[in-house]
Amino acid sequence: MPVIKVNNRDVHIQELNKGAAETVLLVHGMFSNLSVYYFNIAPILAEHFHVVMYDLKSHGMSERTLHGYDLNSMTDDLNALMEALQLNVVHLAGYSFGGLIALKMALRFPDKVKKLVVIEAPDPKDEKARGIIDDYSREFLEHYVENFTDTTKVKMGKRQMERNHRMYEYLFYQTSIKSDMIAEKDFLDEPQISLLNKDTLLLYGSDSNCLETGKELNGKIKTSELTAVPGDHNIPIQEPVLIANMINTFFMN
Amino acid sequence: MDTVASTTKMNRDEIFDLMKQFITEVIGEEFVEEMDITPESSFTKDLEMDSIEIVSFSEKIKAHFGDQIDFTGWLSSMDLDQLINLNLGMIINYIYECQ
């Protein structure tokens, strides 16, 4: 299992097609992990690109960390990861909360991002997204897992439920994730977003609650194009091949 | 890390034992003790492995067999329903045929 030290913390990474000239870096969403890309999307991108996936802090097999879930910290982590892997510039794609990280990365470190793909990034202002955190309970987890989890469609057994429960408990009650997320509520109102000068592909589910956010972003970013993909917030699981091919075409042209 | 020590072809029982060892390493001995792992065991339903655990499991196969077996490539050719129904026997067959 490839685990590297970044800023003295263990980060689980996966790389495909290391010899390729250009790199695609993929950022997963909150409560998810790199497996959202690993099985279907990454292998297609790896036909042309060096592909790098990593688990965000406290997610997947990366080290648990109490603080630093705001977008500045998350992009500091990403920047440090790029330095550790000696990547000067990458094509960047992020899903859900990872889409916000990718967007923030393009704003903060424009020289390091060639092209940008934002998949189903939510508006952090959305009361519902924050309500989820306030209402957290085991019952909620069971409901959430059945309906919204973006790692798998499979219903969880006891061991998985406990495992996920522990992760949620840790993230919600021990780390600063909740307050860090609330502090980002106005992120999409930042004026720099309108100044972003980066080819950007926005991919949203045609039935997703986040589609309005996609439209809003498309209105702000002058160099963006918005494509609605059949499905809801879980489009990378629902349409992995379609998503991978769209990203591939966008990064190659 | 395990590497291929010889070019001798493993039989299905040997592959099964190796897969059980990998599964134990990924999900932990305490859970495996409560399970009856057979070639019919499905990864998601019976072994309750989630996708990040299957990533770890794939890494172990890669580390052991090297380029001989494109396990991730094989998995990536499956759709979600096929992945959900994936059982140990199918993996044993795949590895056996690839050798």
Side-chain angles (χ1 to χ4, degrees):
Chain A
M1 187 179 79
V3 172
I4 60 167
K5 285 274 182 203
V6 180
N7 287 342
N8 224 15
R9 278 200 301 264
D10 286 340
V11 177
H12 172 221
I13 63 160
Q14 291 287 343
E15 288 182 89
L16 301 173
N17 192 13
K18 268 191 198 180
E22 292 187 299
T23 298
V24 173
L25 211 157
L26 301 169
V27 191
H28 69 76
M30 200 165 275
F31 313 124
S32 177
N33 55 60
L34 60 77
S35 68
V36 72
Y37 299 116
Y38 183 86
F39 295 106
N40 295 102
I41 294 174
I44 293 173
L45 295 173
E47 288 168 16
H48 300 283
F49 298 102
H50 168 218
V51 178
V52 178
M53 295 158 269
Y54 72 110
D55 281 335
L56 298 172
K57 59 177 66 155
S58 305
H59 290 72
M61 291 186 280
S62 286
E63 191 172 327
R64 285 182 162 195
T65 311
L66 287 171
H67 303 288
Y69 294 87
D70 57 284
L71 293 172
N72 271 330
S73 303
M74 299 307 271
T75 46
D76 281 343
D77 291 349
L78 180 49
N79 188 41
L81 174 74
M82 282 181 66
E83 279 171 10
L85 296 173
Q86 295 177 316
L87 298 169
N88 296 324
V89 62
V90 296
H91 293 299
L92 188 62
Y95 168 48
S96 196
F97 180 62
L100 296 176
I101 296 173
L103 177 58
K104 184 75 175 186
M105 188 72 188
L107 296 174
R108 286 187 70 203
F109 304 99
D111 296 343
K112 297 202 159 186
V113 180
K114 216 174 214 174
K115 285 186 178 184
L116 179 67
V117 174
V118 174
I119 311 163
E120 276 290 322
D123 186 344
K125 203 187 287 160
D126 187 350
E127 295 280 332
K128 259 182 273 169
R130 296 211 314 274
I132 282 172
I133 297 177
D134 291 333
D135 293 343
Y136 177 71
S137 67
R138 193 188 167 84
E139 206 177 315
F140 156 71
L141 173 66
E142 284 165 12
H143 175 70
Y144 178 87
V145 161
E146 243 173 75
N147 295 286
F148 303 110
T149 188
D150 58 35
T151 51
T152 170
K153 222 165 65 170
V154 182
K155 276 200 187 171
M156 289 193 188
K158 190 163 166 283
R159 185 177 70 86
Q160 281 305 334
M161 192 62 85
E162 293 296 333
R163 215 166 93 87
N164 277 274
H165 186 68
R166 280 198 302 275
M167 180 184 76
Y168 285 69
E169 287 271 328
Y170 175 76
L171 279 169
F172 281 139
Y173 296 121
Q174 292 180 46
T175 76
S176 60
I177 201 165
K178 192 170 151 176
S179 52
D180 290 350
M181 272 177 71
I182 291 168
E184 294 291 355
K185 68 177 174 22
D186 297 324
F187 171 56
L188 295 187
D189 298 330
E190 283 186 16
Q192 299 100 295
I193 293 177
S194 314
L195 303 172
L196 183 67
N197 184 20
K198 197 73 61 188
D199 285 344
T200 303
L201 175 64
L202 304 163
L203 293 175
Y204 279 79
S206 50
D207 298 325
S208 168
N209 293 334
C210 298
L211 180 60
E212 282 308 311
T213 306
K215 290 178 184 169
E216 193 189 321
L217 279 173
N218 197 36
K220 284 183 180 175
I221 305 171
K222 290 176 191 69
T223 47
S224 70
E225 50 182 294
L226 170 67
T227 304
V229 175
D232 53 32
H233 186 63
N234 293 304
I235 45 172
I237 303 294
Q238 290 157 342
E239 295 287 353
V241 176
L242 181 61
I243 296 276
N245 287 331
M246 286 171 135
I247 298 175
N248 218 3
T249 306
F250 177 70
F251 285 156
M252 281 177 72
N253 291 335
Chain B
M1 213 26 114
D2 300 305
T3 46
V4 192
S6 72
T7 52
T8 322
K9 198 169 167 169
M10 291 173 87
N11 66 36
R12 284 189 164 81
D13 287 341
E14 288 166 339
I15 299 172
F16 177 58
D17 287 341
L18 184 66
M19 295 303 110
K20 274 209 287 197
Q21 181 199 317
F22 290 167
I23 290 163
T24 309
E25 287 167 10
V26 170
I27 68 177
E29 211 157 327
E30 68 270 34
F31 296 108
V32 171
E33 274 170 10
E34 296 168 11
M35 290 174 182
D36 181 23
I37 301 180
T38 71
E40 283 74 44
S41 301
S42 93
F43 267 63
T44 50
K45 285 190 214 112
D46 300 325
L47 304 178
E48 281 191 36
M49 281 170 81
D50 70 5
S51 40
I52 196 72
E53 289 172 328
I54 298 175
V55 172
S56 292
F57 178 79
S58 308
E59 287 299 301
K60 288 183 185 295
I61 291 182
K62 256 193 225 172
H64 187 91
F65 292 98
D67 294 336
Q68 198 184 354
I69 286 168
D70 180 19
F71 186 67
T72 316
W74 181 61
L75 286 182
S76 72
S77 67
M78 298 183 187
D79 63 27
L80 197 56
D81 290 330
Q82 286 172 306
L83 272 178
I84 291 168
N85 292 315
L86 182 70
N87 71 30
L88 204 47
M90 291 156 75
I91 293 172
I92 293 167
N93 276 336
Y94 174 72
I95 293 175
Y96 184 78
E97 298 299 332
C98 282
Q99 289 182 108

